[in-house]
């Protein structure tokens, strides 16, 4: 008689890994509890930075966080998020739901492997296909982004992608570049030349004064190879934004504009949102301001951080990112928004388990949070341009803006196929309102460039001082014509 046997498997063995290393992160998506939004519940063993990973994943998926409740006592993280998709609706697409569960609910082993792949990807110096990433930080001045673009063009470098922030007269920029002739990564010797050249451009900003040594040390250009793919597992847009936050923090933009004198030392104070009479209602002013407070919860050993400001997308990412990078642990949190206004409350301790115990430390955290919220909000005009990509295109466009008194305060540069897709926030270098007639005329006359203008920050018209000859502040026909004609020979309509 033939018999067959199989090895015995203890049913408890399947859960052994979970008992040893912690349970798999559980993600529950509920579209029944609320009529207006999707309720996302997450249960997981906690670790430092996990909340940021979750918020970052939701932000990358273009989800708007309306409410959130966080609790992580006893090493266990329980998050509840009320979210909507990019169109303001519930998340009902099954593909999106599956992606959320995959992105957030990955077990520890999968997440560790993903981080290992990402680290290897970023540190590789031998990739034959990926562009090279460089990062810049330092003191800003009107027109500096244009000068950086011109320096790269002079070095015959192609800008594949770039993101730049300016806040409180500091600049942070991450750019992905390739060789003009081969569109390949740049060798180390040439990278050193590029670093030296760009550092010279940055340090030309620094004024000679008592604080010159400090300012000079903050002017820095570094490089690393590999362009992270904007998909979970290999790097995302929020990875770049978190790095921009870190660069801004490193140059202490939270301290406010530098006190150095001279025309290149600081930006003019913007008055774009002050009414015609020069006065603003106190209640309205308070609504616009970001308010950050820190109180003590002595009985539980927490510091309570409250943030109230105008609501916007990515707000929770910016605040959680800042607290995490400042080495604070968030144990509990409550986030809510109502009629365009946001209220956030965080119960935190330092990474060593202590609460904030000095006024100086509290003041620094308040300033850092205020800066993190403010640096993403840009006053001025948003210009969106699309054109056939070529080396020097970015330099030519930013030069036209700079030579006509417009400075770039934020930039997002990308390449889609053969086209360059650029978005700039621009403001007037002298502190006046941007002349919308100039923008409209530029849109008509630039011809080969597809230009879209968005005034995302309402600017109230005020009477400008006469210039004595009755002519418009910008003579577009005289000033731009030579630049536009030169561009016309090189750029086709995107």
């Amino acid at each position: 008689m033939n018999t067959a046997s199989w090895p015995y498997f203890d049913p408890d063995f399947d859960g052994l890994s979970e008992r040893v290393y912690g349970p798999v992160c559980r993600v529950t998506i509920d579209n029944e509890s609320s009529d207006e939004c999707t309720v996302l519940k997450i249960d997981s063993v906690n670790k430092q930075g996990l909340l940021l990973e979750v918020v970052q994943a939701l932000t990358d998926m273009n989800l708007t966080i309306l409410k959130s409740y966080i609790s992580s006592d006893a090493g266990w993280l329980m998050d509840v998020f009320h979210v909507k998709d990019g169109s303001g609706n519930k998340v009902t697409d099954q593909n999106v739901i599956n992606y959320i569960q995959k992105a957030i609910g990955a077990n520890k082993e999968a997440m560790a492997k993903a981080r290992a792949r990402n680290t290897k990807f970023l540190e590789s110096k031998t990739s034959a296909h990926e562009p090279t990433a460089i990062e810049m930080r330092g003191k800003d001045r009107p027109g500096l982004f244009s000068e950086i673009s011109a320096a790269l063009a002079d070095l015959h470098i192609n800008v594949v992608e770039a993101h730049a922030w300016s806040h409180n007269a500091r600049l942070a920029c991450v750019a992905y570049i390739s060789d003009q002739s081969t569109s390949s990564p740049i060798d180390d010797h040439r990278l050193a030349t590029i670093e030296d050249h760009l550092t010279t451009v940055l340090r030309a900003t620094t004024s000679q004064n008592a604080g010159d040594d400090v300012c000079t040390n903050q002017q820095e250009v570094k490089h690393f190879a590999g362009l992270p793919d904007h998909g979970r597992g290999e790097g995302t847009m929020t990875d770049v934004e978190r790095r921009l936050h870190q660069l801004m923090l490193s140059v202490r933009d939270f301290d406010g504009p530098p006190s150095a004198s001279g025309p290149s030392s600081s930006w003019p104070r913007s008055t774009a949102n002050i009414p015609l009479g020069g006065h603003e209602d106190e209640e309205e002013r308070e609504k616009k301001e970001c308010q950050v407070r820190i109180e003590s919860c002595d009985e539980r050993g927490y510091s309570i951080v409250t943030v109230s400001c105008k609501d916007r997308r990515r707000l929770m990412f910016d605040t959680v990112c800042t607290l995490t990078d400042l080495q604070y642990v968030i144990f509990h949190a409550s986030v809510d928004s109502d009629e365009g206004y946001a209220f956030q409350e965080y119960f935190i301790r330092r990474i060593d388990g202590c609460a904030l115990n000095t006024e100086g430390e509290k003041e620094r955290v308040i300033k850092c949070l205020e800066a993190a919220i403010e640096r993403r909000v840009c006053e001025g005009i948003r210009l969106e341009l699309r054109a056939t990509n070529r080396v020097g295109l970015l330099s030519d466009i930013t030069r036209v803006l700079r030579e006509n008194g417009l400075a770039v305060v934020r930039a997002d540069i990308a390449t889609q196929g053969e086209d360059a897709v650029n978005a700039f926030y621009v403001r007037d270098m002298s502190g006046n309102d941007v002349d919308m007639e100039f923008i409209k005329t530029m849109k008509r006359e630039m011809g080969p460039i597809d230009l879209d203008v968005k005034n995302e920050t309402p600017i109230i018209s005020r009477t400008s001082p006469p210039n004595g000859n009755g002519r418009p502040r910008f003579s577009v026909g005289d000033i731009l014509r030579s630049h536009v004609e030169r561009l016309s020979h090189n750029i086709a309509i995107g």
Side-chain angles (χ1 to χ4, degrees), residues 72-90:
S72 62
D73 266 343
W76 187 266
L77 179 69
M78 293 177 287
D79 297 347
V80 178
F81 296 93
H82 293 233
V83 300
K84 290 184 178 181
D85 62 18
S87 302
N89 302 316
K90 284 186 176 184

Side-chain angles (χ1 to χ4, degrees), residues 22-300:
V24 174
C25 177
R26 291 189 290 269
V27 179
T28 304
I29 297 177
D30 178 10
N31 275 313
E32 304 298 329
S33 299
S34 173
D35 295 332
E36 299 180 351
C37 59
T38 298
V39 179
L40 178 66
K41 301 177 182 179
I42 301 169
D43 297 320
S44 174
V45 169
N46 192 26
K47 62 168 184 163
Q48 170 65 350
L50 180 59
L51 175 60
L52 176 59
E53 291 180 14
V54 173
V55 173
Q56 183 172 342
L58 297 177
T59 303
D60 282 327
M61 286 179 279
N62 202 30
L63 299 179
T64 300
I65 300 174
L66 304 177
K67 294 182 180 181
S68 180
Y69 307 98
I70 312 296
S71 180
S72 62
D73 266 343
W76 187 266
L77 179 69
M78 293 177 287
D79 297 347
V80 178
F81 296 93
H82 293 233
V83 300
K84 290 184 178 181
D85 62 18
S87 302
N89 302 316
K90 284 186 176 184
V91 181
T92 56
D93 188 317
Q94 190 59 45
N95 291 328
V96 176
I97 292 175
N98 293 339
Y99 188 79
I100 292 174
Q101 292 174 328
K102 179 181 178 181
I104 300 177
N107 59 40
K108 287 178 169 54
E109 181 180 359
M111 293 173 68
K113 289 181 179 179
R115 287 195 297 270
R117 289 196 305 268
N118 194 34
T119 301
K120 182 178 179 181
F121 180 78
L122 290 175
E123 293 179 349
S124 172
K125 298 288 185 180
T126 60
S127 173
H129 306 288
E130 299 300 334
T132 301
I134 58 174
E135 57 184 33
M136 292 161 273
R137 62 170 190 166
K139 189 176 173 185
D140 193 19
R141 67 172 180 271
L144 178 57
F145 186 72
S146 174
E147 295 178 28
I148 291 172
S149 304
L152 291 173
D154 291 341
L155 293 169
H156 305 289
I157 297 299
N158 182 44
V159 179
V160 179
E161 182 176 348
H163 304 278
W165 288 359
S166 175
H167 178 247
N168 279 343
R170 272 79 164 190
L171 174 74
C173 178
V174 175
Y176 301 98
I177 60 177
S178 63
D179 185 85
Q180 173 185 354
S181 57
T182 63
S183 297
S184 62
I186 302 165
D187 61 74
D188 290 343
H189 177 73
R190 195 162 181 224
L191 275 171
T193 301
I194 294 171
E195 285 185 28
D196 291 341
H197 196 70
L198 291 177
T199 300
T200 300
V201 173
L202 286 173
R203 291 186 176 178
T205 307
T206 307
S207 303
Q208 299 296 322
N209 54 42
D212 185 54
D213 291 338
V214 176
C215 294
T216 300
N217 291 334
Q218 291 180 349
Q219 314 291 102
E220 185 179 42
V221 180
K222 295 195 303 182
H223 73 271
F224 58 91
L227 171 63
D229 179 26
H230 288 176
R232 299 302 303 175
E234 295 293 359
T236 65
M237 185 59 211
T238 51
D239 291 327
V240 176
E241 292 178 347
R242 184 180 182 186
R243 187 57 188 154
L244 289 170
H245 276 303
Q246 292 170 340
L247 291 172
M248 279 295 193
L249 187 65
S250 69
V251 292
R252 303 181 64 89
D253 71 322
F254 54 86
D255 281 338
S259 58
S261 60
S264 65
S265 63
S266 63
W267 286 85
R269 180 177 176 85
S270 172
T271 57
N273 293 320
I274 299 178
L276 182 61
H279 300 284
E280 188 174 30
D281 182 81
E282 182 69 18
E283 182 178 351
E284 292 299 320
R285 183 182 64 81
E286 290 181 357
K287 287 182 179 180
K288 293 177 182 179
E289 289 181 349
C290 169
Q291 298 181 1
V292 182
R293 296 184 299 274
I294 298 180
E295 301 173 347
S296 298
C297 179
D298 296 331
E299 59 272 19
R300 296 299 302 273

